[in-house]
Amino acid sequence: MNEEKVKLPDSLLEYIGQWKNKKGNVIMVLHKVQELYGFIPRAVAMEVSTLINIPLAKIYGIITFYHLFKLKKPGKYRISVCLGTACYLSGGNDIMAELENILGIGVNHTTDDGIFSIEAVRCLGCCGLAPVLVINEKVYGKLKKEDLAAILGRYRNQEAAVKA
Amino acid sequence: MSIVNIKINERTYQVNEDLSILEAARLMQVKIPTLCSHPDLSQSAACGLCVVKLKGTSKMIRACATPVEEGMEITTHDAELFEIRKTVLELILSNHPNSCLTCQRNQECELQRLAAEFGIREESFEKKLRDKPADTSTTSLILDPVKCIGCGRCVEVCQKVQNVFALEFIGRGFKMRIAPAGNITLNESPCIKCGQCSAHCPVGAIVEKDETAAVWTGLRNEKLYPVVQIAPATRVALGEAFGLETGTLVTGKMYALLRRLGFKAVFDTSFGADLTIMEEASELVDLLKNHPDHLPLITSCCPSWVDYLEKFYPDLIEHFSTAKSPHEMLGVMAKTYFAEKQGLKAQDIFMTSIMPCTSKKYEITRTDEMFASGVQDIDVVLTTRELARMTKASGIDFLSLPDEDADNILGEYTGAGVIFGATGGVMEAALRTAYYFITGEKLANIDVQPVRGLTGIKRAEIDIKGQKVKTAVAHGIGNVHVLMEEIREARRSGKPMPYHFIEVMACYGGCISGGGQPYWVNNEVRKKRTAGVYQDDKNHKLRMSHENPFIQKLYGTYLGKPLGEKSKKLLHTDYKPRPLYYK
Amino acid sequence: MVKLNLNELEKLRKNTKDECSTEIIVSMGTCGIAAGGNEVYDYFSKEIVKQGLPDVLLKKTGCLGLCYIEPNVIVKTKDQPAILYGNVNMETAIRILNEHVRNSQIVNDFVVAMPSEDIYCLCKKQPEKR
Amino acid sequence: MNRYIFLSEPGNRSSDLFFYIQKALAEKGLDKKIGLVRTQNVGFYSSMPVMRVIPDDIVYKDLTHENINRIIEEHFIHKKPVTQLLHKVASPYVRLENRNEYYKQFRIVLRNMGCIDPENIRDYIKRDGYRGLEKILKNKMTPDDVIDELKISGLRGRGGAGFPTWKKWKLTQEVPGDEKYVICNADEGDPGAYMDRSTLEGDPHSILEGMTIAGFAVGSRQGYIYIRAEYPLAIKRLEIAISQARELGLLGPNILGTDFSFDIELRWGAGAFVCGEETALIASIEGNRGMPRPRPPYPSVKGLWDKPSVINNVETYANVPVILDKGGSWFAKIGTETSKGTKVFALTGKTKNSGLIEVPMGMTLREIIFDIGGGIKDNKKIKAVQTGGPSGGVIPESYLDTPVSYESLQKLGSIMGSGGMIVMDEDDCMVDVSKYYLQFAVDESCGKCSPCRIGGKQLYDLLEKISKGSAVDQDLDRIKRIGQAMLKASLCGLGQNTPNPVLSTLKYFPEEYDEHIRMKKCRTGKCKDLVTYLIDPDKCIGCSLCALRCPVKAITGEKKKPYFIHQDMCIKCGECYNVCKFSAVKRD
């Protein structure tokens, strides 16, 4: 049978309430879901489907069409490597390769401990700082691949400190 | 509607302004190739093959999606267009396996046909195929992503026509595929197995689950007594597979064919339909007389519709007629009544149903009631398309077969039984009998015209001796929600029910254009097949189910009365709410 | 705020006057923030309160277009040309506040060229037709 | 202080020039009157030390000690400029900003960038904001008057093909009915372009005003801004701007007390480049997969929710208030015959100065790259410039004197596009660059129409083959055939333009393709499969630096003896090539 229904948080229900009667609301609602959960859990998508009366298939059509929407939980620290043209020409690909090498995971994957995930993005609009990567909100510009180990190390230490 | 002047390949024509260039050209016998355009559906303009040149613009435009305009000068064929189209076609072929020889659509594939017409002799581009396994989860359909050319017809029909939303485009770009929502199978999705996707697919990406091998096995098994039944709508369509004019009635040839294939008794689902009417009309009469507050009664012979209601309108289940569908009724009669007469046990009989429908394959194991005879009442369902293939494999020359009769008593049917094949038919047949049950008289105008035809929702009021019976007919399941919402609203508000009797068939046009019928359906084909069905009705002297002497005999000697104890046990079923998604 | 009518807009336009004699403007578009403009802005806003500089107005602005020398800071004082600083880090920010804002001493080495009017107020005259 | 000297000494911070001037000023007792400021440049790029005197706006060159003394004597004491030392194109008494040769930018769209606080509507109003709208309402202009003004201005859509804006508006205005929409396309998606983001972040009200004027002209009451969700700051500032405008009665019912009402709502994109295409954008606002549909019907007649809709991009709307304020004929004087006004570019890549610039149409690419961009970094040679992003093409060095206009760029096989301008130097491989853009296009293809979905993938794989050295001559024919089919048979602009980067590089740099295919060589080393790094034993002094830097320990050797690269281990990262100070590492 159907998996258990999830109870949606009030903030989401309130947001859906605001958007419910607006046409073409589904993408805005999905943005909110992703903001709250970091991705779009299936059970939540099902609830949303009922609440705003959009078939689940359409929701999946949308989630899988737009690159920003995620079906899997990303890492605690989401690393977005810019592969816009300026960053590409300045070696964005090498940064990506080094990052994959250090973390041992590929693009759109999360480390086993759930701490890091890697995404590729197209132009963050900081071409003057190329090559650039962003960890959660923090931007690291004019990168060299030698810098990466230290940057990731800082986050690792932070995590270790939290645990300790 | 006004007429515009256009030039196609330097010749001037006058055409209706609501046509697309593609349609206009077709009327002028100019064939522009396409793989995605379908007259049933809105134009997706996906395949890119129908490009034409329009004077005054440098770009090529899509003929399927561009309406004609006064003064247009169109070139549909020249060397450059040929080259561009050929490249596009080769690109599509580079994304499609070369497994024609073993494909179910072999010789009936639109892509294969185009490749032949374009004279493609080599593969210019490297093969790049989708790497996804086929979905074989349902008992009705197989979805093979590798063969999909992404035309989107199935999605369009599933969403816009059927309103089921089992299929959707998933992912994008080169990785785009057509699948249910998320990483689930069709069987876990809201799919109602209507098979309209398979009927509209230009290639072999969605096909009916082929059961011909099971039938051959059954026929070969000497311990079994193979019997068969043919659905009303199959007799007006099978002929197409052998080059006969669309809508030609081939009932007698089909009986002959099935005997030659090895079936020992040949029955007709139309008899089952007569039986269904006896039960369903009795239900209607009972409700009208004794429980008007339980109205409306909703027909339940279409298993896709049953599946749809259980999933989408579980709150309305109580309105469903509990009468089984005709082939299930006939199945159980074959394995009980007929078996007894032949001195056989239920398990000795091997029952095959020839159906216009993919969903019937699902229906035969739907609930416990489908095993009313003690064993599975129907062993195998073949679609019309499968029977056509089986016939060709058997070496039987269908066209030169004589007309034969069906076996009695489960083979003789009335005009009411056969019109089940078209939209409005169940309603009409039920009204003919219900009128008699209530009044003891024959309906004056036996052709109930208002419930016939291809309008999506048909409403009619039938006067039964002063009692106005309000009826509605919906087909193409996307149309159903209008009626269901009206009922829900009436229930909510306590207002009188807008309808007393509702007929629903999942496929647009009814079973004559069911998901398992021969390919290339459009409204012309629907009209011709429908005409065939009504012709068969006219051809019958007896046109009301209760007049069928064999029905009378069956009740008299075996079943007792409609809605009686035995009838209820063998001929009725029940329904339960089902989740839209199992995962 | 009260909604304006047709005549009040022009009044508002004319009556909006510079309230302060000194302005610090930090370029805070995405690239400015990415390069550290936020920290610089926060520093100024804290210090203005801490050091009690009521005559100094701190403002944000959008991208100046000089992405290669972000973060950018413009300082306008009464008797001096407006000065545009580039590559402003915390160290420079401290010097800008102490030397330029408080003591009218332009901080050498971080000035980007020309008075900043050149950068932004170019609607004045049309270029010749080509 | 009554004067300032701005001194610029490129690349030579340790020179004594600064101190010499300081001393000289002190000696004359001028150090309290004249401020000396060290700057990074004086408003244009110069390879020589130059100084600019403010407020006189005079630039001196040839700054020898002797000349400095002379300048101080004549200019500062006797108030007479030293004409002999003026920078060659500078003449006295003309402000720098008024000279095209010097400061070549001209800002209409970016007019407020850097002067206003985008989160404060008063700043915008103070700088003539909402005056265009005000004029319309005050002077009781009709929608036709507004459209006429735009027609006079000659403004064309800044998003791509350059359709005349007035025509678009007129088409929508002419459709009967009062449910119409004004849409702003802020789904800027070209990798390497961020003009719209900066404009939205720096001057959101100019977009709101432009859209409101469009609403007035076409008879719409509702606008939508479709904005990339990747632009959180722009979203935030737009939200602030919208609520401030509503508070002041500049948006919402009865704008400025008149009976004209118009409001604006934001809708976020979610990461799909194709949604920059107008029919896909509409599909996305409607809550669908952003897949384009065939045109006609055009959105101007049947757009959002099947209602007539005007769609323009950010830059187009930002021009509108200025046109209404200053008049269409003022605007029409800027630019070329067919391309009026200015164009904003995101100048990036290998130029010294990268950033957002706005120049009058008709300026040559060379002026943009060399005068504004300061030329190429590290004294490398320019190879090409790419405009129009993944839908555009590359323009080789030999065409740099082409003036920028819609037509001229198209003629060269590129497009104006939304304004990405990426400069490439001799280190950039044209096969690699095409592959980059193709990869982008393949990732971003919606997958609906087969020429684009399959053609793009085939093209990319063919380029991959070339870059790996496994391609054959016929593959070039295949590329051309697919390119032609995509160009002609793709449904939308994305698919039609996908082959542009590869077709234009193939046109201008056939020899690079030839090298890759026949000689299995990549001259830039970007195609790693075609490169071998070798150590020249005659040049290697055995310093071991390369061995230390090699990430995979593929270099071995003894100190002070030639080192050796083990080819089977080498990953061709080029690290050894970059670190060797003796040019002993060879790339082949």
Side-chain angles (χ1 to χ4, degrees):
Chain A
M1 269 305 285
N2 224 333
E3 61 188 79
E4 282 167 46
K5 274 197 171 181
V6 281
K7 170 94 180 71
L8 301 188
D10 289 344
S11 60
L12 180 55
L13 288 172
E14 192 188 319
Y15 189 84
I16 291 174
Q18 282 168 28
W19 280 89
K20 202 175 156 80
N21 295 322
K22 288 190 185 173
K23 286 194 275 187
N25 51 12
V26 55
I27 293 175
M28 296 305 282
V29 172
L30 291 177
H31 273 300
K32 187 73 183 176
V33 171
Q34 183 146 308
E35 182 192 315
L36 290 169
Y37 294 86
F39 70 115
I40 298 171
R42 185 166 178 89
V44 177
M46 281 194 174
E47 277 301 294
V48 167
S49 159
T50 325
L51 286 171
I52 61 174
N53 200 18
I54 302 261
L56 189 70
K58 264 200 86 171
I59 292 183
Y60 269 77
I62 288 166
I63 297 173
T64 58
F65 183 85
Y66 295 99
H67 280 356
L68 279 188
F69 293 130
K70 307 255 173 281
L71 284 167
K72 278 188 272 176
K73 197 175 172 67
K76 180 168 178 191
Y77 299 104
R78 293 170 51 186
I79 309 173
S80 311
V81 181
C82 182
L83 293 180
T85 317
C87 286
Y88 181 82
L89 292 179
S90 331
N93 253 8
D94 295 340
I95 299 285
M96 180 63 101
E98 180 71 7
L99 198 60
E100 289 178 340
N101 188 23
I102 294 176
L103 294 176
I105 53 168
V107 178
N108 293 332
H109 283 82
T110 308
T111 50
D112 289 340
D113 54 11
I115 294 181
F116 295 110
S117 57
I118 311 180
E119 288 161 35
V121 293
R122 303 281 184 190
C123 201
L124 294 159
C126 325
C127 305
L129 301 174
V132 171
L133 68 74
V134 182
I135 302 184
N136 290 352
E137 308 279 276
K138 172 94 180 121
V139 182
Y140 296 87
K142 295 184 180 168
L143 275 174
K144 293 196 184 65
K145 54 186 180 182
E146 295 81 39
D147 305 339
L148 289 173
I151 293 171
L152 296 178
R154 252 176 273 154
Y155 287 92
R156 279 249 161 79
N157 293 341
Q158 211 172 307
E159 273 309 291
V162 170
K163 271 193 189 140
Chain B
M1 199 186 305
S2 61
I3 300 289
V4 293
N5 298 291
I6 58 167
K7 263 190 184 172
I8 296 179
N9 303 335
E10 317 244 301
R11 285 168 191 272
T12 307
Y13 298 101
Q14 294 191 322
V15 292
N16 280 331
E17 65 171 356
D18 61 342
L19 295 181
S20 68
I21 295 175
L22 185 80
E23 289 163 331
R26 200 173 276 156
L27 284 182
M28 307 313 154
Q29 320 305 329
V30 175
K31 198 180 141 202
I32 301 170
T34 174
L35 280 172
C36 65
S37 173
H38 193 287
D40 283 356
L41 310 170
S42 63
Q43 304 303 326
S44 72
C47 75
L49 282 170
C50 72
V51 286
V52 294
K53 288 180 181 170
L54 178 64
K55 195 173 176 187
T57 59
S58 59
K59 282 184 180 149
M60 292 182 181
I61 56 168
R62 281 190 168 42
C64 67
T66 313
V68 292
E69 272 172 40
E70 178 64 36
M72 269 186 173
E73 295 184 30
I74 300 146
T75 307
T76 67
H77 290 79
D78 67 12
E80 190 191 2
L81 282 163
F82 176 77
E83 175 60 24
I84 298 287
R85 285 178 189 149
K86 187 164 175 241
T87 307
V88 173
L89 186 60
E90 285 184 58
L91 285 170
I92 295 172
L93 289 171
S94 78
N95 188 217
H96 187 86
N98 290 356
S99 53
C100 297
L101 293 182
T102 52
C103 180
Q104 209 160 305
R105 283 296 289 261
N106 193 8
Q107 295 200 313
E108 294 203 275
C109 171
E110 297 181 35
L111 180 60
Q112 189 187 43
R113 208 175 266 191
L114 277 184
E117 285 173 7
F118 273 79
I120 309 269
R121 292 291 171 267
E122 58 170 356
E123 289 182 61
S124 299
F125 310 119
E126 205 176 287
K127 274 267 186 261
K128 300 186 189 304
L129 301 177
R130 248 183 227 101
D131 186 19
K132 283 272 170 196
D135 181 341
T136 58
S137 61
T138 76
T139 46
S140 298
L141 297 159
I142 293 175
L143 169 69
D144 187 353
V146 182
K147 290 181 184 167
C148 175
I149 60 165
C151 70
R153 284 187 198 169
C154 55
V155 175
E156 188 78 9
V157 79
C158 186
Q159 299 191 350
K160 300 260 176 69
V161 181
Q162 301 298 71
N163 199 24
V164 171
F165 285 86
L167 293 176
E168 171 61 299
F169 297 103
I170 297 292
R172 78 171 187 220
F174 190 69
K175 289 183 189 141
M176 187 267 284
R177 66 197 166 94
I178 285 158
N183 211 4
I184 58 165
T185 62
L186 262 184
N187 207 31
E188 292 156 343
S189 83
C191 173
I192 57 166
K193 281 77 76 177
C194 68
Q196 283 300 319
C197 49
S198 72
H200 287 83
C201 180
V203 295
I206 307 186
V207 292
E208 68 280 9
K209 198 168 239 180
D210 189 299
E211 298 279 6
T212 49
V215 175
W216 285 121
T217 309
L219 288 170
R220 250 194 337 258
N221 189 335
E222 285 172 8
K223 287 183 196 140
L224 293 178
Y225 189 93
V227 300
V228 67
Q229 58 173 318
I230 65 165
T234 59
R235 70 203 63 206
V236 292
L238 182 68
E240 290 165 31
F242 303 95
L244 291 176
E245 173 60 24
T246 305
T248 310
L249 268 173
V250 293
T251 324
K253 281 190 178 8
M254 276 181 86
Y255 297 151
L257 164 73
L258 292 163
R259 289 212 177 86
R260 278 153 190 72
L261 281 171
F263 290 102
K264 291 190 177 156
V266 178
F267 303 135
D268 203 305
T269 314
S270 308
F271 177 89
D274 281 337
L275 200 49
T276 298
I277 287 303
M278 294 301 286
E279 297 295 322
E280 204 164 279
S282 301
E283 280 180 283
L284 178 65
V285 169
D286 178 51
L287 289 178
L288 284 170
K289 276 189 178 158
N290 307 322
H291 309 284
D293 50 325
H294 289 181
L295 287 166
L297 181 72
I298 306 176
T299 64
S300 62
C301 357
C302 169
S304 286
W305 161 230
V306 169
D307 203 23
Y308 190 88
L309 185 122
E310 288 180 332
K311 284 170 174 168
F312 289 82
Y313 297 99
D315 53 317
L316 301 181
I317 277 180
E318 60 182 74
H319 293 290
F320 239 163
S321 160
T322 58
K324 283 184 186 173
S325 71
H327 92 124
E328 282 292 345
M329 285 196 180
L330 194 122
V332 72
M333 285 299 105
K335 290 202 176 180
T336 54
Y337 173 79
F338 175 77
E340 275 173 39
K341 256 183 40 173
Q342 298 288 313
L344 295 167
K345 294 199 188 86
Q347 60 264 37
D348 297 335
I349 296 195
F350 178 76
M351 170 54 107
T352 301
S353 296
I354 310 297
M355 297 282 129
C357 179
T358 48
S359 187
K360 293 280 172 190
K361 289 172 184 275
Y362 151 79
E363 185 188 23
I364 58 176
T365 54
R366 195 182 69 85
T367 58
D368 292 346
E369 290 83 33
M370 305 302 143
F371 298 76
S373 65
V375 295
Q376 189 176 317
D377 298 333
I378 308 289
D379 293 284
V380 185
V381 168
L382 289 189
T383 61
T384 317
R385 295 198 291 262
E386 286 164 272
L387 179 63
R389 289 200 295 271
M390 205 171 160
T391 309
K392 286 172 184 167
S394 70
I396 297 167
D397 179 5
F398 182 76
L399 295 180
S400 57
L401 285 171
D403 284 341
E404 292 184 3
D405 289 326
D407 288 272
N408 277 334
I409 65 167
L410 304 180
E412 199 66 39
Y413 60 95
T414 70
V418 77
I419 58 174
F420 264 57
T423 168
V426 181
M427 167 73 62
E428 185 170 340
L431 287 175
R432 290 178 188 173
T433 290
Y435 190 90
Y436 172 80
F437 281 174
I438 292 173
T439 65
E441 293 169 20
K442 194 176 156 182
L443 190 61
N445 193 355
I446 199 164
D447 293 337
V448 190
Q449 290 296 349
V451 299
R452 297 187 182 181
L454 286 177
T455 312
I457 299 178
K458 294 165 280 188
R459 297 178 175 88
E461 218 173 65
I462 310 296
D463 192 331
I464 304 186
K465 280 274 156 98
Q467 184 170 12
K468 303 255 191 250
V469 178
K470 293 183 207 155
T471 67
V473 174
H475 59 122
I477 208 147
N479 288 316
V480 151
H481 72 277
V482 178
L483 302 179
M484 296 302 119
E485 288 308 326
E486 285 179 62
I487 296 176
R488 274 181 174 172
E489 180 52 36
R491 291 206 332 178
R492 239 192 321 262
S493 61
K495 285 190 187 129
M497 271 297 157
Y499 309 107
H500 301 138
F501 192 28
I502 295 174
E503 180 207 287
V504 178
M505 290 190 192
C507 296
Y508 181 63
C511 308
I512 48 100
S513 54
Q517 292 280 64
Y519 294 113
W520 333 107
V521 172
N522 56 31
N523 280 349
E524 280 315 299
V525 171
R526 287 190 179 93
K527 281 178 193 155
K528 284 182 180 166
R529 289 182 186 165
T530 305
V533 164
Y534 286 114
Q535 189 55 50
D536 199 13
D537 175 25
K538 277 228 170 97
N539 292 347
H540 278 75
K541 226 167 78 197
L542 299 179
R543 296 179 63 196
M544 293 182 284
S545 299
H546 58 273
E547 294 177 329
N548 187 333
F550 299 98
I551 288 284
Q552 290 164 1
K553 186 175 167 197
L554 187 62
Y555 277 106
T557 61
Y558 189 74
L559 283 171
K561 60 178 176 37
L563 302 181
E565 195 189 334
K566 197 158 192 179
S567 307
K568 281 226 157 139
K569 181 167 168 275
L570 296 176
L571 304 181
H572 288 258
T573 179
D574 68 2
Y575 310 98
K576 62 173 185 200
R578 292 176 201 262
L580 271 186
Y581 283 91
Y582 281 86
K583 235 169 121 181
Chain C
M1 257 184 268
V2 191
K3 296 201 176 188
L4 304 174
N5 68 31
L6 264 179
N7 300 316
E8 287 159 350
L9 184 61
E10 183 61 25
K11 264 186 234 157
L12 180 71
R13 190 174 287 127
K14 291 225 168 92
N15 294 342
T16 309
K17 287 216 175 77
D18 296 335
E19 295 121 24
C20 300
S21 61
T22 303
E23 281 184 25
I24 304 175
I25 305 170
V26 184
S27 159
M28 300 249 292
T30 293
C31 42
I33 292 173
N38 242 356
E39 284 111 67
V40 170
Y41 183 88
D42 289 347
Y43 167 78
F44 285 133
S45 84
K46 258 191 226 142
E47 289 300 312
I48 287 170
V49 177
K50 211 159 113 192
Q51 302 187 15
L53 305 169
D55 212 27
V56 177
L57 178 69
L58 178 63
K59 276 169 75 167
K60 292 176 193 180
T61 193
C63 172
L64 297 169
L66 306 169
C67 306
Y68 58 107
I69 47 163
E70 288 281 6
N72 298 149
V73 172
I74 299 167
V75 178
K76 286 188 193 170
T77 54
K78 217 169 209 163
D79 308 314
Q80 281 179 323
I83 295 295
L84 172 70
Y85 292 100
N87 290 321
V88 179
N89 55 19
M90 284 305 293
E91 205 180 314
T92 328
I94 294 169
R95 285 185 61 191
I96 289 173
L97 190 70
N98 292 338
E99 296 173 25
H100 191 167
V101 176
R102 295 180 64 109
N103 291 317
S104 296
Q105 283 293 312
I106 297 170
V107 183
N108 273 312
D109 286 344
F110 299 97
V111 175
V112 182
M114 58 286 182
S116 49
E117 272 101 340
D118 280 12
I119 297 271
Y120 53 75
C121 300
L122 290 166
C123 245
K124 289 174 192 160
K125 184 182 173 283
Q126 286 173 27
E128 285 148 39
K129 195 158 173 110
R130 285 171 186 257
Chain D
M1 297 278 169
N2 56 16
R3 277 199 164 68
Y4 281 88
I5 296 171
F6 283 71
L7 174 68
S8 157
E9 295 174 274
N12 190 6
R13 293 257 148 177
S14 55
S15 94
D16 65 344
L17 211 50
F18 180 82
F19 300 103
Y20 186 84
I21 299 173
Q22 204 172 39
K23 207 176 94 214
L25 288 172
E27 277 168 10
K28 299 279 178 194
L30 292 170
D31 52 335
K32 292 283 175 291
K33 278 185 171 173
I34 297 170
L36 177 60
V37 176
R38 190 135 69 183
T39 84
Q40 297 179 351
N41 68 40
V42 290
F44 59 94
Y45 179 77
S46 163
S47 58
M48 305 276 291
V50 286
M51 62 185 251
R52 178 173 173 184
V53 183
I54 303 294
D56 313 352
D57 252 327
I58 283 172
V59 178
Y60 290 114
K61 58 171 184 174
D62 298 338
L63 303 181
T64 61
H65 291 184
E66 193 184 329
N67 284 341
I68 285 168
N69 290 339
R70 197 176 155 196
I71 292 168
I72 290 174
E73 188 66 30
E74 294 183 20
H75 189 144
F76 293 113
I77 297 174
H78 298 289
K79 315 262 190 268
K80 246 184 86 184
V82 191
T83 43
Q84 294 89 333
L85 297 177
L86 287 175
H87 196 272
K88 60 176 175 185
V89 279
S91 66
Y93 316 118
V94 177
R95 285 184 65 85
L96 272 181
E97 67 204 32
N98 294 341
R99 296 192 56 90
N100 283 337
E101 297 90 338
Y102 268 99
Y103 200 85
K104 301 204 170 189
Q105 296 200 45
F106 184 75
R107 300 196 161 195
I108 296 175
V109 173
L110 306 179
R111 61 193 179 277
N112 289 325
M113 310 289 268
C115 355
I116 65 162
D117 180 347
E119 296 179 14
N120 185 350
I121 190 171
R122 283 164 185 272
D123 269 22
Y124 178 73
I125 291 174
K126 200 174 127 195
R127 283 181 59 87
D128 299 342
Y130 288 107
R131 206 160 74 184
L133 179 65
E134 187 185 353
K135 275 190 180 169
I136 292 174
L137 297 174
K138 237 182 196 160
N139 302 345
K140 302 223 162 27
M141 286 169 79
T142 63
D144 279 326
D145 294 341
V146 175
I147 291 173
D148 280 347
E149 206 61 47
L150 275 173
K151 188 175 175 182
I152 295 167
S153 80
L155 178 68
R156 294 169 66 177
R158 295 293 190 247
F163 192 78
T165 305
W166 74 269
K167 251 189 206 166
K168 227 182 215 185
W169 291 18
K170 186 82 191 158
L171 284 170
T172 304
Q173 188 218 17
E174 280 171 344
V175 185
D178 54 1
E179 200 182 328
K180 297 179 186 177
Y181 297 99
V182 171
I183 300 169
C184 173
N185 180 353
D187 189 53
E188 176 178 58
D190 282 15
Y194 52 96
M195 300 71 54
D196 294 350
R197 176 180 59 69
S198 295
T199 311
L200 293 165
E201 286 173 4
D203 195 11
H205 284 286
S206 67
I207 314 303
L208 303 187
E209 189 183 352
M211 287 177 71
T212 309
I213 292 170
F216 179 86
V218 305
S220 159
R221 299 169 56 92
Q222 182 65 47
Y224 290 94
I225 301 178
Y226 183 80
I227 183 165
R228 288 184 87 189
E230 292 94 325
Y231 288 171
L233 187 64
I235 290 175
K236 187 185 130 202
R237 291 199 173 144
L238 273 173
E239 279 169 350
I240 293 172
I242 289 172
S243 80
Q244 287 180 351
R246 280 187 193 145
E247 271 176 40
L248 283 184
L250 290 160
L251 268 185
N254 303 100
I255 288 173
L256 289 175
T258 66
D259 54 8
F260 169 56
S261 303
F262 187 76
D263 211 338
I264 293 174
E265 197 176 277
L266 297 188
R267 288 301 174 97
W268 302 6
F273 176 68
V274 68
C275 289
E277 198 277 343
E278 55 183 16
T279 61
L281 185 150
I282 286 173
S284 189
I285 296 183
E286 288 172 348
N288 295 311
R289 291 164 60 88
M291 300 203 284
R293 63 156 175 80
R295 298 175 302 182
Y298 286 91
S300 38
V301 177
K302 206 171 175 188
L304 186 60
W305 292 301
D306 286 345
K307 303 293 176 198
S309 308
V310 156
I311 303 186
N312 288 113
N313 81 336
V314 170
E315 193 181 335
T316 315
Y317 283 123
N319 273 303
V320 171
V322 180
I323 292 173
L324 267 296
D325 184 19
K326 293 186 186 273
S329 45
W330 174 87
F331 188 87
K333 284 183 195 141
I334 309 159
T336 70
E337 203 49 55
T338 54
S339 304
K340 305 286 188 199
T342 60
K343 179 76 194 88
V344 181
F345 287 104
L347 181 63
T348 57
K350 301 293 174 68
T351 49
K352 286 205 170 88
N353 306 336
S354 64
L356 210 59
I357 61 161
E358 182 172 354
V359 295
M361 297 272 194
M363 182 175 284
T364 67
L365 291 164
R366 195 180 298 281
E367 288 173 281
I368 293 173
I369 294 165
F370 286 90
D371 295 341
I372 297 174
I376 308 301
K377 275 188 225 170
D378 304 329
N379 295 318
K380 300 263 182 181
K381 217 172 146 289
I382 185 170
K383 184 183 267 183
V385 55
Q386 209 276 356
T387 66
S391 306
V394 295
I395 298 164
E397 204 266 346
S398 50
Y399 287 98
L400 285 190
D401 292 312
T402 307
V404 166
S405 73
Y406 291 100
E407 289 75 16
S408 64
L409 293 183
Q410 203 159 20
K411 231 162 135 188
L412 293 176
S414 186
I415 57 169
M416 176 88 81
S418 56
M421 185 176 282
I422 291 135
V423 179
M424 296 165 189
D425 68 10
E426 53 192 296
D427 287 346
D428 292 314
C429 165
M430 290 297 112
V431 174
D432 187 58
V433 164
S434 318
K435 212 174 85 181
Y436 169 78
Y437 282 114
L438 247 302
Q439 169 83 66
F440 180 87
V442 169
D443 271 4
E444 295 298 335
S445 163
C446 80
K448 177 175 175 168
C449 87
S450 37
C452 172
R453 181 183 71 239
I454 310 167
K457 171 76 176 156
Q458 290 281 7
L459 272 186
Y460 174 78
D461 287 356
L462 284 166
L463 285 169
E464 176 94 357
K465 255 173 101 180
I466 295 176
S467 75
K468 284 198 149 63
S470 54
V472 291
D473 278 352
Q474 292 90 308
D475 286 335
L476 286 184
D477 298 333
R478 292 196 176 101
I479 286 177
K480 285 174 193 160
R481 248 187 95 192
I482 297 173
Q484 205 56 27
M486 291 183 73
L487 219 63
K488 295 283 185 183
S490 289
L491 183 56
C492 79
L494 174 72
Q496 286 159 8
N497 293 323
T498 291
N500 277 354
V502 50
L503 293 181
S504 69
T505 48
L506 202 51
K507 178 172 161 197
Y508 295 122
F509 301 94
E511 69 285 355
E512 284 198 34
Y513 282 86
D514 211 49
E515 273 172 23
H516 281 76
I517 295 171
R518 293 201 184 160
M519 296 156 70
K520 315 287 178 206
K521 261 188 72 172
C522 173
R523 57 170 91 176
T524 65
K526 284 273 155 88
C527 300
K528 292 189 172 151
D529 291 300
L530 302 183
V531 179
T532 322
Y533 289 96
L534 293 167
I535 294 176
D536 182 349
D538 294 339
K539 286 190 177 163
C540 180
I541 63 149
C543 74
S544 84
L545 192 56
C546 57
L548 286 171
R549 280 293 184 85
C550 177
V552 292
K553 307 265 174 284
I555 307 179
T556 55
E558 257 178 73
K559 278 220 164 175
K560 301 205 171 153
K561 286 186 184 161
Y563 273 63
F564 179 75
I565 302 175
H566 298 271
Q567 294 302 330
D568 50 338
M569 291 163 74
C570 175
I571 57 164
K572 327 228 163 130
C573 66
E575 203 66 19
C576 50
Y577 181 84
N578 292 335
V579 298
C580 183
K581 291 178 180 144
F582 308 96
S583 308
V585 182
K586 295 259 174 292
R587 183 162 66 198
D588 192 25

